């Protein structure tokens, strides 16, 4: 991490490279900011963060205080997550758009090429099976021995609705048709026809990937999409360069999937002749969405493929979320992220870690506030926490904590009841980004009136302002409360039990899951709950009957608070 001062165009600039972690980084920024403000005597100071996706609490407060003091401070963020986090609490930020995001929409896909050599057969079959029938010509080329019988066309016919042909020389190209390169011939495309030649081998190969991709680039230009899969040698590298030079798109398979036969995709990647490096499931999803066209919605098989790609490439499993809800959220996020098509949206999300984290953070509708559902929390304060006071140590879990308001609300109640010092309060969420925001402990000022009302209804003993002090444009939780909450990343759907708790709160999270996944999570909660513990669900989750089916017993009718009853259900 480095902080440097510079001047350009009458503006004093501070460039922050790397992540600004820890007190030392914040102190370095404070020193640079003080020097810059003193030098310009009221002139503008521009602070540019090139790499950071979040800032430490002290750094955020430093910037806010400088703005409040009247300093002519400009904040520039090159990372979308940092811009989002600072704007969330009212700080003015200019986000520098990613060049790829700002580019005009790509041309519609008119031709798709799938090419590979050793260990690519199963991958070709997998991708072709995922393709929706569309007005696109598909070209498949696999290196095979010239004397070997090639049955690839027969294997593909039973996996796709495309017409599959092993073409003759001068065959006309038709959309909705898949062309398999015959052994011993180069397959080329020009002027709407397939040409088969017995020219010399290229890169020791005939058919040659370079020969096919070079002609597709000339024939289809920006409408060509090439996928380079596993194989030996470097055939395909020049062809990928030609496709990119013509404005087309090149996707290269991640070499780690190739079990040793990774020389071909690695050569294209090392030469820089690619747009995306992805695993097989991501390639299948991107290829399917691309041939489906710009108007294709995130629904049906396209949505299934994308969720499968997300689960395998990034470790976030949304496959058992309610489909209607997911489709609505994806449509909204596409507009919010500035993408006009599902194909373009998922290309960006699957290749940009920061954009993916933003997707995970915003995919569920993040409706949260301090002391949300206050009537329910009043019951927790007045009856459940006093009961749990008999335990020598109280362990609590806020599951799906989002930006931390619920967890801090619990900490405030525990402090007011004199129980915080002997409590372990865990807060978990799927999104690492949301957890970083929660750890910082700064919140939008606009929520203060709602916080005050909720606090009183929840039985607060003072005022919300006593716990949520006001900074310049935001609210902050006290430092001692912030340090008492243990934030961890945890997936309710894919990870197991990590402790035994006397109180678990999971409110308005399970509403996004399908019925089977809701049952799985409830069973997991049952196994995580002390025999004398309590489970608090959201009033809007609609899970009362399912909770009863899983053996939970209502604590009080209509409270959506439950206790374990009897044996655990499998």
């Amino acid at each position: 991490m480095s902080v440097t001062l510079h001047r350009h165009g009458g503006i004093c600039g501070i460039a922050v490279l790397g992540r600004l972690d820890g007190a030392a980084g914040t102190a370095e920024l404070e020193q640079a900011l003080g020097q810059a403000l003193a030098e310009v005597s009221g002139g503008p100071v521009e602070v540019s963060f090139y790499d950071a996706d979040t800032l430490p609490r002290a750094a955020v407060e430093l910037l806010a205080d400088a703005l409040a003091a009247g300093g002519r401070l400009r904040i520039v963020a090159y990372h979308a997550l940092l811009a989002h986090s600072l704007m969330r609490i009212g700080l003015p930020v200019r986000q520098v758009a990613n060049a790829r995001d700002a580019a005009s929409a790509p041309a519609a896909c008119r031709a798709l090429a799938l090419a590979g050599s050793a260990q690519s057969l199963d991958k070709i079959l997998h991708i072709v099976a995922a393709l929706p029938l569309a007005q696109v010509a598909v070209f498949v080329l696999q290196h095979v021995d010239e004397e070997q019988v090639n049955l690839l066309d027969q294997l593909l016919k039973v996996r796709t609705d495309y017409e599959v042909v092993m073409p003759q020389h001068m065959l006309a190209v038709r959309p909705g048709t898949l062309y398999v390169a015959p052994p011993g011939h180069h397959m080329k495309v020009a002027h709407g026809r397939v040409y088969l030649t017995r020219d010399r081998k290229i890169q020791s190969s005939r058919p040659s990937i370079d020969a096919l991709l070079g002609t597709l680039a000339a024939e289809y230009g920006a409408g060509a999409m090439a996928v380079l899969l596993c194989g030996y040698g470097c055939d395909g590298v020049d062809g990928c360069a030609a496709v990119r030079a013509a404005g087309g798109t090149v996707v290269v398979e991640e070499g780690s999937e190739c079990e040793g036969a990774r020389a071909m995709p690695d050569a294209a990647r090392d030469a820089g002749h690619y747009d995306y490096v992805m695993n097989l499931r991501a390639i299948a999803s991107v290829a399917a969405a691309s041939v489906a066209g710009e108007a294709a919605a995130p629904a049906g098989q396209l949505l299934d493929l994308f969720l499968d790609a997300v689960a395998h490439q990034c470790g976030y499993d949304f496959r058992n979320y309610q489909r209607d809800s997911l489709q609505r959220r994806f449509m909204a996020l596409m507009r919010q992220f500035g993408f006009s098509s599902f194909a373009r949206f998922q290309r960006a999300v699957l290749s940009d870690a920061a954009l993916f984290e933003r997707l995970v953070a915003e995919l569920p509708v993040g409706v949260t506030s301090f002391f949300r559902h206050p009537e329910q929390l009043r019951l927790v304060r007045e009856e459940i926490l006093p009961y749990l006071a008999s335990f020598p140590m109280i362990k609590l879990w806020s599951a799906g904590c989002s930006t931390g308001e619920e967890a801090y609300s619990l900490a405030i109640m525990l402090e007011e009841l004199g129980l915080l010092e002997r409590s372990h309060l865990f807060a978990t969420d799927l999104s690492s980004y949301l957890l970083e925001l929660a750890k910082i402990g700064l919140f939008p000022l606009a929520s203060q009136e709602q916080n005050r009302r909720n606090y009183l209804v929840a039985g607060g003993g003072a005022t919300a302002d006593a716990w949520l002090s006001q900074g310049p444009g935001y609210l902050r939780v006290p430092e001692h409360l912030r340090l008492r909450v243990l934030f961890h990343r945890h997936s309710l759907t894919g990870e197991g039990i990590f402790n035994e708790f006397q109180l678990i709160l999971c409110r308005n999270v399970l509403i996004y899951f399908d019925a089977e996944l809701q049952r799985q999570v409830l069973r997991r909660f049952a196994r995580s709950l002390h025999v004398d513990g309590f489970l608090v669900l959201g009033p809007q989750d609609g899970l009362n009957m399912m909770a009863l089916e899983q053996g939970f017993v209502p604590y009080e009718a209509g409270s959506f608070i439950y206790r374990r009853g009897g044996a655990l259900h499998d």
Side-chain angles (χ1 to χ4, degrees):
M1 191 277 296
S2 67
V3 179
T4 58
L5 271 72
H6 57 89
R7 287 186 174 277
H8 58 92
I11 297 176
C12 185
I14 300 174
V16 182
L17 302 177
R19 289 183 58 88
L20 194 68
D21 292 327
T26 301
E28 191 173 347
L29 174 62
E30 182 176 15
Q31 180 179 357
L33 184 58
Q35 180 180 341
L37 290 172
E39 287 183 4
V40 298
S41 301
V45 173
E46 186 172 278
V47 183
S48 299
F49 297 94
Y50 288 90
D51 306 301
D53 51 3
T54 58
L55 296 178
R57 172 168 165 146
V60 176
E61 292 182 322
L62 173 67
L63 296 173
D65 290 342
L67 285 164
R72 295 181 60 188
L73 184 64
R74 303 175 186 175
I75 305 172
V76 179
Y78 282 77
H79 202 298
L81 292 180
L82 179 59
H84 177 268
S85 67
L86 296 180
M87 288 188 288
R88 169 179 170 266
I89 56 172
L91 296 187
V93 182
R94 179 171 67 87
Q95 181 185 344
V96 178
N98 183 292
R100 184 169 60 199
D101 295 343
S104 59
C109 179
R110 297 166 53 216
L112 170 66
L114 307 176
S117 183
Q119 300 189 29
S120 65
L121 175 59
D122 289 344
K123 301 168 190 296
I124 290 171
L125 298 177
H126 179 86
I127 296 169
V128 168
L131 296 178
L133 185 60
Q135 292 299 300
V136 173
V138 180
F139 301 90
V140 174
L141 189 154
Q142 185 189 30
H143 290 160
V144 293
D145 189 282
E146 294 193 13
E147 306 304 320
Q148 181 180 340
V149 177
N150 191 341
L151 299 177
L152 182 56
D153 58 331
Q154 302 303 313
L155 294 172
L156 291 173
K157 284 179 180 178
V158 298
R159 289 170 168 82
T160 182
D161 291 329
Y162 283 79
E163 180 184 357
V164 179
V165 297
M166 192 170 285
Q168 300 294 320
H169 183 56
M170 294 290 288
L171 180 68
V173 176
R174 298 190 307 273
T177 305
L178 188 153
Y179 301 90
V180 179
H185 294 78
H186 294 307
M187 182 169 70
K188 306 176 183 179
V189 179
H191 310 298
R193 294 185 179 276
V194 176
Y195 292 80
L196 302 180
T197 71
R198 291 280 296 175
D199 300 347
R200 64 177 177 81
K201 293 182 179 181
I202 301 174
Q203 302 289 348
S204 303
S205 301
R206 189 172 56 206
S208 163
I209 300 171
D210 282 337
L212 172 63
L213 296 187
T215 61
L216 291 182
E219 181 78 357
Y220 295 99
M225 180 176 184
V227 175
L228 190 64
L229 301 167
C230 299
Y232 300 113
C234 56
D235 186 25
V237 175
D238 291 341
C240 289
V243 171
R244 294 197 76 225
T249 302
V250 174
V251 182
V252 174
E253 185 175 11
E254 173 57 56
S256 62
E257 289 192 332
C258 294
E259 302 176 10
R262 59 183 297 169
M264 185 183 295
D266 282 358
R269 185 185 61 189
D270 293 345
H273 300 326
Y274 68 94
D275 295 285
Y276 307 99
V277 176
M278 295 178 173
N279 68 27
L280 177 62
R281 286 178 171 82
I283 292 172
S285 181
V286 166
S290 297
V291 303
E294 292 288 296
Q301 184 186 13
L302 292 183
L303 180 56
D304 292 340
L305 288 167
F306 181 57
L307 296 178
D308 191 48
V310 167
H312 283 84
Q313 180 157 316
C314 309
Y316 292 89
D317 196 345
F318 299 106
R319 288 174 292 187
N320 291 105
Y321 278 45
Q322 293 182 1
R323 284 299 190 269
D324 290 345
S325 175
L326 280 176
Q327 184 175 350
R328 289 192 299 271
R329 290 300 296 149
F330 278 130
M331 292 295 291
L333 291 174
M334 283 165 55
R335 293 190 296 270
Q336 185 176 331
F337 289 7
F339 294 102
S340 58
S341 74
F342 186 45
R344 192 166 178 237
F345 170 78
Q346 64 172 279
R347 288 184 195 184
V349 167
L350 291 171
S351 62
D352 186 327
L355 197 62
F356 181 80
E357 279 296 333
R358 186 177 169 196
L359 169 72
V360 173
E362 299 189 32
L363 186 57
V365 182
V367 179
T368 184
S369 62
F370 284 91
F371 298 96
R372 191 174 182 219
H373 304 310
E375 296 84 358
Q376 190 181 53
L377 289 185
R378 188 180 192 107
L379 190 59
V380 171
R381 175 197 291 271
E382 295 180 349
E383 298 186 24
I384 292 173
L385 291 180
Y387 173 82
L388 297 180
S390 60
F391 286 82
M393 179 61 68
I394 308 171
K395 286 178 285 188
L396 310 92
W397 178 16
S398 172
C401 68
S402 187
T403 46
E405 286 89 335
E406 178 180 86
Y408 288 125
S409 298
L410 283 173
I412 290 170
M413 291 195 297
L414 290 166
E415 177 80 332
E416 290 185 333
L417 294 172
L419 300 174
L420 185 61
E421 289 302 315
R422 56 189 182 95
S423 297
H424 285 170
L425 177 50
F426 295 85
T428 65
D429 200 88
L430 184 64
S431 168
S432 301
Y433 169 63
L434 292 182
L435 290 171
E436 285 300 315
L437 297 187
K439 291 176 185 178
I440 292 170
L442 302 177
F443 299 92
L445 182 61
S447 64
Q448 182 69 314
E449 287 303 319
Q450 183 65 54
N451 297 335
R452 289 167 177 163
R453 291 192 294 269
N454 286 351
Y455 174 82
L456 292 176
V457 176
T463 65
D465 294 38
W467 297 107
L468 301 171
S469 60
Q470 184 172 331
Y474 56 83
L475 301 173
R476 61 164 74 88
V477 297
E479 185 70 3
H480 76 284
L481 288 187
R482 189 172 73 90
L483 298 177
R484 293 293 306 189
V485 182
L486 304 173
F487 290 101
H488 296 282
R489 185 190 176 279
H490 180 269
S491 169
L492 290 174
T493 64
E495 298 178 69
I497 300 166
F498 65 92
N499 215 316
E500 183 182 63
F501 298 95
Q502 284 81 37
L503 178 63
I504 300 174
L505 288 87
C506 184
R507 304 190 299 169
N508 304 111
V509 176
L510 302 184
I511 192 172
Y512 298 107
F513 299 173
D514 67 16
E516 180 53 35
L517 193 56
Q518 289 172 341
R519 291 189 184 91
Q520 293 178 21
V521 175
L522 286 176
R523 287 196 288 268
R524 189 161 294 156
F525 284 153
R527 288 173 170 78
S528 303
L529 199 62
H530 188 279
V531 66
D532 292 320
F534 298 83
L535 172 66
V536 182
L537 298 177
Q540 298 170 350
D541 286 339
L543 295 176
N544 187 60
M545 290 303 300
M546 189 177 292
L548 298 179
E549 292 171 3
Q550 296 303 312
F552 286 100
V553 177
Y555 173 72
E556 181 178 291
S559 68
F560 303 98
I561 300 175
Y562 303 87
R563 306 193 72 176
R564 264 181 48 183
L568 299 179
H569 288 216
D570 293 318

